[in-house]
């Protein structure tokens, strides 16, 4: 009965953990099961649960606990025990093929963990955990359910060994993975292919759940083998950039045999869409086999079979209506070009028909922009690589890309424009909101669109003129609908992005004068549109269109501004003819004018403001830049206004703004202090305004905060830019000593407001950053000392007013007690008094942290005392000896904390009883006589009839407690304390005597 009761309790706890909707019940069950996992009899109880448990949840618990046991690095299970567990799990799965799926999965995971972690373990010169294929052979010769288990075991094991984890070092993981790859992986892959061939030849009834499941697990097994990290590069699985599969040379036979490739193509056409994406995933990996596995003739033959399979899918595209199939097929197409050269592709017998089918498929996909938008990347990647290869192809066979690339370009552009109306009409998610996705696609289009550029440019001119004319007519009309205007703005946004992209795709060695002139045609149109939209900003503006303009500017600057650009470029000739912009400087003036306009009208729009500020380059000599340097006030740049900010965090772009201005100022600043003073006038005025506010008893606190935060963000930008000694000293002399007290005062007032303190502290961090050796003060200069004094004063001010101080103490006591023990006595006493004070704090986090800190100190002290009493103890470190001496000189500090903790537990509403219990045991063991006196005082303060009960409570508190601080002993004390508090409270509730706890325990 004693054995059955714990088992029944465990089953109840499992049910509560996995089924209950009550949070408290679930947490209690979780805590109890964690304790069970750490108990000495966990292993035997797990076997009992598997054998006698009546629920799947108890079986799951057993499997999970066993996985933790075999995975632990400290005190690992003996080899014989792990072998027994492995054999037990295999027998258990073999005799119970109809377990709940999650139980089977957990047991298979357990088998995989044991096998991986024991891969190099030997018993009588035999690697006992490596006979994995033998282990599962009996499963493969039985029922379909057994076959599924066997295949899943191999699949899970392959995946487990492929994945690095934190239980052991990466080097050991790679050794295991390499050994598994060399000894077992090819045999497993061959087995998976043979089983797939058998299954496909048996006319499986895939409506039958078990047969469907078997085929799915076989495909997963094959994919896990092909997806193995063969050379240990551990590439990011979310990236397709490094897409070569480094198949070992010993696998050559599998890929020289065309039947392997044909098997997967045949499977794709014979199984339902629920399984075919797995087949395509395998084909993606096979298509990515490293080139060096083959010689030239073998590679050509392999590629021919691969292209034939792709052609067959394109000719029978019905299954591609499934999004998962479609996505994997797009990945397969992308791999055709990433692993094979255009010169190899054009030599394939069916290339003309295949490239036509791929082009039609791409065009259709782009036109249906709402279907699987995340897959378009792969199609564009294919065409980008094809287009980029055109200048280098040496083959005499025609590549035909001049025919199909313009079709792809046109399909992308027109489909994006046509999507605008539908998205606005139906309230759909706008792709333009995903800046990363748009930029990725535009980068790909930039190469595709430059192929047959005349056609691309003609199309863009035609579409742009249509939309721009419609837009202008709508703006001039008095009865235009908001929807119609929004549609044209959306179309123009796409066109501006695309024009920027194709200009950015210009390659200098492949470009011609005619193409530069075409670029000029496009640039003229964007600048004319900018003039139109800027003229309307006082009434209305379109954020997405403005962001597209900034993207266009960046692409134009990258290609056509700089020393490498021919000043006689036909682009500038066209700009001169149409807009009167004769050279690079005049175009830059237009750009900086746009920057000023944006900062004036879009100050509240962080994306536009941020991107605008990052556009400031090579603009120093322009009059517009001089205007910015002399007029950086809220009158001209609204985002600098104090009252325009919705909240304090909206001011972050100000740092970027002043970094840009600071760098521009630095170009010609030199030692001109007058120019610096002139530049700093707006910031001087802001400091004076704050000083005036602080000098009065009543001031608008919100306005003061806004002014301060804006000011320190501005100053941090300037300090970041001033990375030369001369300019930094101007800034330092400006801020010290005049304005440092204002920053100190702000920290004193608003230490509890992170939105205020963080910017101030970041400014100080920047000021003390020795960027480019700017803090190398002269020998006779006191500036280094002054800067240190102001910084330390601020840190002290902030630290003494912030509960982060207790977090620091907790970290110090946990990891650096040797350092604390080496401190001067008055510092040690200050730390202890701070902890003592924090124990009674109303803030639970502070109180809990102090309990943890006290526990670390008490544990350290107890260990040192224990060592000092051992006869053969090594000489104690000087620091430890000093620390013990301090504690012995001042026993009242530790005793007071013992009294405080006991007082809180007995007489107050203790909200963190567990935390309080951890240091209490150590305090008691260090002060046993004092604890006895406290106990007697408490007992004697009770009514005579209650004294025996209270005495018994204290006896029970120390029942079974040993004189050590081992985890098991601590846990027992914590449990005893919980009972103690409940019994004491029950006893005192019925007491007619009022107990004054402060008097009693003073």
């Amino acid at each position: 009965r004693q054995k059955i009761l714990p088992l029944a309790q465990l089953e109840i706890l499992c049910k509560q953990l996995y089924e209950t909707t009550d949070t408290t019940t679930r947490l209690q069950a979780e805590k109890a099961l964690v304790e069970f996992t750490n108990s000495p009899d966990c292993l035997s109880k797990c076997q009992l649960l598997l054998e006698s448990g009546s629920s799947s949840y108890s079986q799951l618990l057993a499997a999970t606990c066993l996985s933790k046991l075999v995975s632990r690095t400290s005190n690992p299970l003996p080899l014989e025990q792990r072998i027994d567990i492995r054999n037990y799990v295999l027998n258990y799965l073999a005799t119970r093929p109809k377990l709940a799926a999650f139980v089977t999965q957990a047991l298979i995971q357990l088998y995989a963990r044991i096998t991986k972690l024991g891969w190099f373990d030997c018993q009588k010169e035999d690697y006992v955990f490596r006979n994995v294929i033998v282990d599962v052979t009996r499963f493969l010769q039985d029922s379909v359910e057994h076959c599924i288990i066997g295949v899943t075991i191999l699949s899970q094991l392959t995946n487990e060994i492929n994945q690095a984890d934190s239980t052991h070092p990466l080097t050991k993981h790679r050794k295991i993975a390499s050994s598994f790859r060399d000894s077992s992986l090819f045999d497993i892959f061959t087995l998976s292919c043979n089983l797939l061939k058998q299954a496909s030849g048996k006319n499986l009834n895939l409506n039958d759940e078990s047969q469907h499941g078997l085929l799915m697990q076989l495909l997963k097994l094959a994919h896990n083998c092909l997806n193995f990290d063969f050379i240990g590069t551990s590439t990011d699985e979310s990236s397709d950039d490094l897409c070569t599969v480094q198949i070992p040379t010993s696998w050559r036979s599998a890929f020289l045999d065309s039947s392997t490739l044909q098997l997967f193509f045949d499977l794709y056409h014979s199984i339902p869409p629920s399984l075919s994406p797995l087949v395509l995933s395998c084909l993606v990996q096979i298509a990515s086999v490293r080139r060096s596995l083959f010689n030239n003739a073998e590679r050509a033959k392999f590629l021919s079979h691969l292209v034939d399979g792709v052609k067959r899918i394109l000719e029978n595209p019905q299954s591609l209506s499934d999004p998962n199939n479609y996505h994997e097929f797009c990945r397969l197409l992308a791999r055709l070009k990433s692993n094979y050269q255009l010169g190899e592709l054009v030599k394939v017998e069916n290339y003309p028909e295949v490239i036509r089918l791929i082009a039609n498929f791409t065009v259709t996909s782009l036109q249906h922009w709402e279907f699987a938008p995340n897959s378009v990347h792969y199609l564009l990647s294919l065409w980008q690589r094809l287009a980029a290869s055109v200048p280098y192809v040496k083959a005499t066979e025609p590549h035909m890309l001049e025919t199909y690339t313009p079709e792809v370009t046109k399909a992308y552009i027109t489909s994006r424009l046509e999507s605008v109306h539908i998205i606005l009409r139906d309230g759909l998610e706008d792709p333009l909101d995903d800046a990363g996705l748009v930029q990725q696609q535009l980068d790909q289009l930039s190469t595709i669109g430059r192929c047959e550029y005349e056609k691309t440019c003609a199309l863009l001119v035609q579409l742009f003129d249509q939309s721009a004319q419609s837009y202008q007519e709508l703006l001039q009309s008095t009865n235009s609908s908001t929807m119609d205007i929004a549609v044209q703005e959306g179309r123009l946004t796409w066109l501006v992005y695309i024009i920027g992209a194709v200009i950015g795709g210009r390659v200098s060695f492949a470009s011609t004068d005619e193409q530069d002139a075409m670029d000029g045609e496009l640039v003229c149109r964007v600048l004319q549109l900018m003039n139109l939209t800027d003229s309307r900003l006082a009434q209305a503006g379109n954020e997405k269109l403005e962001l597209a303009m900034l993207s266009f500017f960046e692409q134009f600057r990258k290609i056509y501004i700089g020393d490498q650009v021919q000043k006689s470029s036909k682009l500038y000739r066209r700009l001169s003819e149409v807009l009167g912009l004769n050279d690079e400087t005049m175009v830059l003036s237009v750009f900086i004018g746009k920057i000023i306009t944006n900062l004036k009208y879009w100050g509240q729009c962080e994306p536009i403001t941020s991107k605008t500020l990052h556009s400031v380059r090579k603009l120093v000599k322009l009059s517009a830049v001089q205007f910015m340097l002399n007029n950086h006030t809220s009158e001209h740049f609204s985002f600098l206004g104090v009252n325009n900010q919705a909240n304090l965090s909206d001011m972050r772009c100000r740092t970027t703004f002043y970094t840009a201005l600071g760098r521009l100022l630095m170009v010609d600043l030199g030692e001109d202090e007058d120019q610096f003073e002139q530049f700093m006038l707006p910031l001087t005025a802001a400091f004076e305004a704050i000083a005036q506010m602080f000098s009065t008893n009543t001031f608008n606190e919100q306005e003061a905060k806004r002014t301060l935060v804006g000011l320190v963000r501005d100053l941090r930008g300037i300090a970041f830019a001033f990375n030369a000694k001369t300019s930094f000293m101007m800034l330092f002399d400006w801020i010290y000593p005049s304005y440092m007290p204002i920053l100190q005062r702000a920290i004193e007032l608003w230490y509890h407001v992170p939105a205020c303190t963080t910017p101030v502290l970041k400014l100080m961090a920047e000021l003390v950053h020795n960027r480019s050796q700017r803090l190398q003060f002269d020998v006779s200069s006191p500036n280094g000392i002054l800067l240190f004094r102001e910084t330390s004063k601020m840190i002290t001010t902030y630290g003494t007013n912030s509960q982060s101080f207790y977090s620091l103490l907790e970290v110090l006591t946990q990891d650096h007690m040797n350092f604390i023990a080496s401190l001067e006595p008055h510092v040690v006493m200050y730390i202890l008094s701070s902890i003592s004070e924090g124990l009674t704090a109303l803030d639970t986090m502070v109180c809990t942290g102090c309990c943890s800190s006290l526990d670390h100190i008490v544990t350290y002290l107890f260990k040192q005392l224990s060592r000092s009493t051992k006869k053969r103890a090594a000489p104690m470190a000087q620091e430890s000896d000093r620390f013990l001496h301090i504690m012995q000189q001042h026993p009242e500090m530790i005793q007071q904390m013992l009294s405080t903790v006991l007082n809180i537990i007995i007489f107050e509403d203790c909200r963190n009883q567990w935390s309080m219990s951890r240091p209490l045991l150590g305090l008691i063991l260090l002060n046993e006589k004092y604890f006895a006196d406290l106990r007697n005082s408490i007992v004697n303060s009770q009514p005579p009839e209650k004294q025996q009960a209270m005495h018994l409570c204290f006896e029970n508190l120390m029942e079974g407690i040993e004189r050590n601080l081992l985890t098991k002993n601590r846990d027992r004390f914590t449990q005893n304390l919980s009972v103690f508090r409940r019994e004491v409270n029950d006893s005192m509730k019925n007491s007619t005597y009022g107990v004054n706890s402060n008097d009693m325990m003073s």
Side-chain angles (χ1 to χ4, degrees):
R1 288 180 61 85
Q2 289 178 343
K3 288 185 179 180
I4 294 173
L5 186 59
L7 181 63
Q9 287 178 340
L10 283 171
E11 294 207 296
I12 292 170
L13 289 171
C14 290
K15 194 173 181 63
Q16 290 173 344
L17 179 65
Y18 293 111
E19 285 190 346
T20 186
T21 56
D22 180 66
T23 305
T24 304
T25 303
R26 185 170 62 252
L27 289 174
Q28 289 174 345
E30 185 177 6
K31 182 180 178 182
L33 290 173
V34 167
E35 292 176 0
F36 162 71
T37 306
N38 297 324
S39 63
D41 60 345
C42 178
L43 187 61
S44 59
K45 286 284 171 49
C46 284
Q47 184 174 355
L48 198 59
L49 280 172
L50 287 171
E51 291 293 340
S52 308
S54 60
S55 76
S56 298
Y57 293 137
S58 56
Q59 295 167 336
L60 176 62
L61 173 70
T64 306
C65 289
L66 286 172
S67 287
K68 290 180 181 177
L69 286 175
V70 301
S71 301
R72 69 188 184 194
T73 52
S74 60
N75 191 24
L77 294 180
L79 174 60
E80 292 76 11
Q81 213 163 32
R82 284 181 286 130
I83 294 172
D84 289 343
I85 294 174
R86 188 269 312 267
N87 294 337
Y88 179 80
V89 167
L90 289 173
N91 288 328
Y92 193 85
L93 287 168
T95 54
R96 294 171 174 82
K98 296 187 182 296
L99 290 167
F102 57 84
V103 176
T104 300
Q105 183 62 34
L107 289 167
I108 291 174
Q109 177 70 39
L110 168 58
Y111 169 84
R113 292 293 291 170
I114 294 175
T115 304
K116 175 181 179 177
L117 298 176
W119 192 255
F120 288 112
D121 288 343
C122 281
Q123 188 182 55
K124 298 178 182 178
E125 299 184 357
D126 178 31
Y127 289 107
V128 286
F129 290 106
R130 294 194 186 182
N131 299 322
V132 289
I133 294 181
V134 175
D135 286 347
V136 301
T137 298
R138 57 172 164 167
F139 290 96
L140 303 179
Q141 296 171 348
D142 211 324
S143 65
V144 174
E145 287 81 5
H146 280 92
C147 286
I148 292 174
I149 293 172
V151 173
T152 306
I153 288 173
L154 293 176
S155 182
Q156 184 62 49
L157 177 63
T158 304
N159 191 54
E160 175 76 28
I161 291 181
N162 194 32
Q163 300 295 323
D165 57 61
S166 58
T167 56
H168 50 275
L170 186 62
T171 51
K172 184 177 179 182
H173 158 75
R174 282 313 314 160
K175 285 181 180 178
I176 294 171
S178 298
S179 174
F180 177 75
R181 174 199 65 198
D182 296 338
S183 65
S184 305
L185 188 58
F186 184 55
D187 292 336
I188 294 174
F189 176 66
T190 303
L191 176 63
S192 70
C193 290
N194 291 336
L195 291 172
L196 282 169
K197 287 175 185 175
Q198 293 175 23
S200 61
K202 286 183 178 178
N203 295 320
L204 288 177
N205 175 17
L206 295 178
N207 291 322
D208 180 271
E209 184 179 346
S210 59
Q211 294 188 27
H212 185 282
L214 174 58
L215 191 54
M216 181 174 69
Q217 291 301 331
L218 281 170
L219 290 169
K220 283 184 178 178
L221 174 58
H223 183 258
N224 283 350
C225 291
L226 292 166
N227 202 40
F228 198 80
D229 185 11
F230 292 99
I231 60 173
T233 52
S234 300
T235 55
D236 180 4
E237 292 182 3
S238 65
S239 170
D240 273 310
D241 294 336
L242 300 172
C243 50
T244 301
V245 178
Q246 300 290 342
I247 293 290
T249 305
S250 58
W251 291 39
R252 262 172 54 86
S253 59
F255 298 95
L256 292 180
D257 183 358
S258 61
S259 66
T260 302
L261 192 57
Q262 196 61 43
L263 165 66
F264 288 95
F265 278 119
D266 289 343
L267 279 168
Y268 171 79
H269 291 284
S270 63
I271 60 179
S274 58
L275 292 172
S276 44
L278 275 171
V279 179
L280 288 173
S281 296
C282 292
L283 283 168
V284 168
Q285 295 302 102
I286 294 173
S288 308
V289 169
R290 62 183 171 93
R291 296 171 54 81
S292 54
L293 192 68
F294 311 105
N295 61 36
N296 289 344
E298 291 165 348
R299 190 182 312 112
K301 183 179 178 182
F302 182 79
L303 178 59
S304 179
H305 288 302
L306 187 59
V307 171
D308 282 343
V310 168
K311 176 172 173 284
R312 186 180 168 197
I313 292 175
L314 287 168
E315 289 172 337
N316 301 276
Q318 297 82 1
S319 294
L320 295 179
S321 59
D322 175 78
N324 294 321
N325 271 338
Y326 173 80
H327 182 78
E328 292 301 322
F329 183 65
C330 289
R331 292 183 65 223
L332 178 60
L333 289 178
R335 296 295 173 96
L336 281 180
K337 183 58 191 71
S338 61
N339 285 321
Y340 300 95
Q341 299 168 1
L342 180 57
E344 293 173 317
L345 284 168
V346 297
K347 292 179 181 178
V348 173
E349 183 179 357
N350 292 317
Y351 173 78
E353 178 63 12
V354 171
I355 197 67
R356 182 187 69 81
L357 288 168
I358 292 176
N360 291 342
F361 174 75
T362 304
V363 169
T364 303
S365 296
L366 292 173
Q367 289 170 341
H368 292 82
W369 52 268
E370 73 284 3
F371 179 80
N374 293 329
S375 307
V376 170
H377 159 75
Y378 299 106
L379 295 177
L380 293 178
S381 173
L382 166 66
W383 287 98
Q384 179 189 27
R385 291 172 185 271
L386 288 171
S389 300
V390 169
Y392 308 101
V393 68
K394 300 289 194 297
T396 55
E397 293 82 358
H399 54 66
M400 305 176 73
L401 295 179
E402 70 281 355
T403 301
Y404 297 117
T405 304
E407 293 181 9
V408 172
T409 303
K410 181 179 180 180
Y412 181 84
I413 296 172
T414 55
S415 64
R416 302 311 107 168
L417 300 190
E418 289 164 3
S419 71
V420 173
H421 178 258
I422 300 170
I423 288 168
L424 289 172
R425 181 194 68 196
D426 299 340
L428 303 177
E429 187 175 343
D430 190 347
L432 288 171
D433 291 332
D434 189 341
L437 180 66
V438 171
Q439 193 57 55
Q440 182 187 63
Q441 293 182 359
L442 292 175
D443 288 344
Q444 295 167 321
L445 186 71
S446 66
T447 305
I448 302 169
R450 295 297 295 198
C451 189
E452 298 296 310
Y453 190 47
E454 296 82 357
K455 295 178 182 177
T456 301
C457 186
L459 175 66
L460 286 171
V461 166
Q462 174 197 346
L463 293 171
F464 193 97
D465 288 349
Q466 289 173 356
S467 286
Q469 183 177 349
S470 299
Y471 184 51
Q472 200 159 11
E473 291 171 355
L474 287 167
L475 295 180
Q476 292 169 352
S477 173
T478 55
N479 58 353
S480 302
S481 72
T482 306
M483 170 66 83
D484 289 340
I485 293 175
V487 168
Q488 294 306 325
E489 287 178 339
R491 290 169 66 91
L492 288 167
T493 298
W494 274 111
L495 286 167
V496 171
Y497 267 125
I498 291 168
I499 288 171
V502 295
I503 288 174
R506 177 185 184 272
V507 180
S508 57
F509 71 84
S511 190
T512 63
D513 284 348
E514 290 72 21
Q515 290 182 348
D516 287 358
M518 294 175 208
D519 283 351
E521 292 288 347
L522 297 174
V523 173
C524 285
R525 283 164 168 78
V526 175
L527 294 181
Q528 287 170 327
L529 174 64
M530 184 190 76
N531 290 335
L532 173 62
T533 55
D534 281 358
S535 67
R536 301 184 63 244
L537 283 177
Q539 294 82 40
N542 186 293
E543 180 182 333
K544 292 175 184 176
L545 182 52
E546 294 294 340
L547 290 172
M549 293 279 188
L550 290 170
S551 175
F552 161 80
F553 285 158
E554 179 58 24
Q555 296 296 336
F556 181 90
R557 183 202 61 77
K558 183 176 70 176
I559 300 299
Y560 282 109
I561 294 178
D563 297 334
Q564 76 281 3
V565 178
Q566 292 289 329
K567 303 309 178 197
S568 59
S569 167
K570 283 199 173 182
L571 173 130
Y572 283 109
R573 290 192 204 173
R574 189 59 184 148
L575 291 180
S576 176
E577 293 167 5
V578 178
L579 301 174
L581 302 175
N582 301 326
D583 56 25
E584 176 183 296
T585 302
M586 295 184 74
V587 175
L588 281 172
S589 294
V590 173
F591 284 9
I592 196 63
K594 179 59 178 168
I595 287 171
I596 293 174
T597 300
N598 280 3
L599 295 177
K600 180 177 181 180
Y601 288 105
W602 291 100
Q604 302 302 313
C605 179
E606 196 277 334
I608 292 179
T609 303
S610 177
K611 288 185 182 295
T612 299
L613 293 171
H614 283 97
S615 299
V616 182
R617 290 189 179 99
K618 305 188 72 171
L619 310 173
V620 185
K621 300 293 184 183
L622 299 176
S623 59
V625 173
Q626 296 305 314
F627 174 84
M628 292 172 68
L629 291 175
N630 295 322
N631 297 277
H632 45 98
T633 62
S634 59
E635 178 184 352
H636 300 283
F637 303 103
S638 61
F639 72 98
L640 296 176
V642 173
N643 296 319
N644 291 331
Q645 309 299 330
N647 56 63
L648 296 177
S649 63
D650 288 343
M651 300 185 184
R652 287 175 182 162
C653 59
R654 294 175 64 147
T655 302
T656 310
F657 177 68
Y658 272 95
T659 298
L661 286 188
R663 284 172 175 166
L664 292 172
L665 181 69
M666 280 272 291
V667 174
D668 292 322
L669 180 61
E671 299 179 3
D672 190 342
E673 294 185 5
D674 291 338
Q675 185 182 357
F676 172 76
E677 293 289 344
Q678 179 68 28
F679 175 78
M680 297 297 287
L681 282 176
L683 290 86
T684 303
F687 255 137
E688 297 294 343
I690 299 173
Q692 181 64 33
M693 292 182 197
F694 284 174
S695 67
T696 61
N697 293 328
T698 58
F699 58 89
N700 185 327
E701 186 170 315
Q702 196 61 27
E703 182 183 350
K705 285 180 181 177
R706 291 181 188 282
T707 305
L708 174 87
V709 171
L711 176 60
V712 295
R713 287 189 186 280
D714 299 345
L715 284 171
R716 184 159 71 96
I718 295 171
F720 183 84
F722 281 16
N723 56 6
K725 183 177 178 181
T726 304
S727 56
F728 181 80
M729 283 312 304
M730 290 183 191
L731 178 63
F732 181 76
D733 291 338
W734 178 85
I735 200 173
Y736 180 86
S738 302
Y739 301 129
M740 274 294 183
I742 297 176
L743 298 179
Q744 299 284 2
R745 179 63 177 148
I747 290 291
E748 290 174 8
L749 285 174
W750 300 316
Y751 65 87
H752 57 291
V753 184
C756 293
T757 56
T758 300
V760 174
L761 294 172
K762 280 187 174 182
L763 169 61
M764 295 303 297
E766 183 57 46
L767 289 175
V768 299
H769 189 169
N770 192 18
R771 197 182 302 283
S772 302
Q773 302 301 306
R774 65 187 183 183
L775 300 185
Q776 295 296 328
F777 301 114
D778 297 334
V779 175
S780 60
S781 170
N783 288 332
I785 297 170
L786 297 174
L787 182 57
F788 170 77
R789 187 172 68 187
E790 292 299 320
T791 307
S792 60
K793 187 192 301 182
M794 183 167 291
I795 292 172
T796 303
T797 302
Y798 179 66
T800 53
N801 288 293
S802 170
Q803 65 178 336
S804 300
F805 172 72
Y806 288 102
S807 301
L808 173 64
L809 281 185
E810 187 175 354
V811 173
L812 286 174
T813 54
Q814 178 178 336
D815 300 320
H816 304 283
M817 270 307 301
N818 286 334
F819 167 74
I820 289 179
S822 69
L823 296 174
E824 292 298 316
H826 71 279
V827 180
V828 173
M829 294 307 294
Y830 178 78
I831 290 174
L832 289 172
S833 63
S834 299
I835 292 172
S836 180
E837 184 179 338
L839 288 172
T840 59
L842 295 176
D843 189 319
T844 305
M845 288 183 62
V846 171
C847 179
T848 301
C850 287
C851 288
S852 180
S853 300
L854 179 58
D855 184 30
H856 297 316
I857 292 172
V858 167
T859 302
Y860 178 85
L861 190 57
F862 187 83
K863 286 181 179 177
Q864 301 308 321
L865 282 170
S866 298
R867 288 174 187 169
S868 68
T869 58
K870 291 180 181 176
K871 292 182 180 179
R872 292 181 295 172
M876 293 180 65
Q878 185 176 352
E879 293 83 2
S880 305
D881 202 13
R882 181 194 300 176
F883 188 68
L884 280 176
H885 182 69
I886 294 171
M887 293 296 97
Q888 289 164 351
Q889 288 289 315
H890 301 277
E892 72 281 354
M893 182 62 75
I894 294 291
Q895 291 172 356
Q896 175 61 40
M897 285 194 272
L898 168 56
S899 175
T900 300
V901 172
L902 201 58
N903 180 41
I904 292 171
I905 288 173
I906 295 178
F907 299 106
E908 296 184 15
D909 179 20
C910 184
R911 291 164 293 171
N912 50 352
Q913 182 179 313
W914 188 91
S915 298
M916 286 281 182
S917 74
R918 305 316 274 187
L920 181 57
L921 177 58
L923 289 169
I924 291 171
L925 296 179
L926 287 172
N927 298 275
E928 291 181 290
K929 183 178 184 305
Y930 181 75
F931 175 66
D933 293 341
L934 277 179
R935 180 189 60 197
N936 294 335
S937 175
I938 294 172
V939 170
N940 294 333
S941 71
Q942 296 297 301
E945 69 274 12
K946 297 287 184 181
Q947 290 183 5
Q948 181 60 34
M950 183 64 76
H951 179 78
L952 187 59
C953 288
F954 275 99
E955 289 292 320
N956 292 339
L957 173 63
M958 303 306 291
E959 174 68 28
I961 303 301
E962 300 172 2
R963 288 202 84 263
N964 64 61
L965 292 179
L966 299 178
T967 302
K968 185 177 179 181
N969 199 42
R970 287 172 177 267
D971 291 345
R972 175 106 186 225
F973 180 76
T974 297
Q975 293 168 0
N976 285 5
L977 185 67
S978 179
V979 176
F980 168 80
R981 185 168 185 268
R982 186 171 62 248
E983 291 177 346
V984 166
N985 285 340
D986 289 344
S987 173
M988 291 174 61
K989 281 178 187 175
N990 302 321
S991 175
T992 57
Y993 285 51
V995 178
N996 186 322
S997 60
N998 291 327
D999 290 345
M1000 177 187 69
M1001 304 188 71
S1002 59

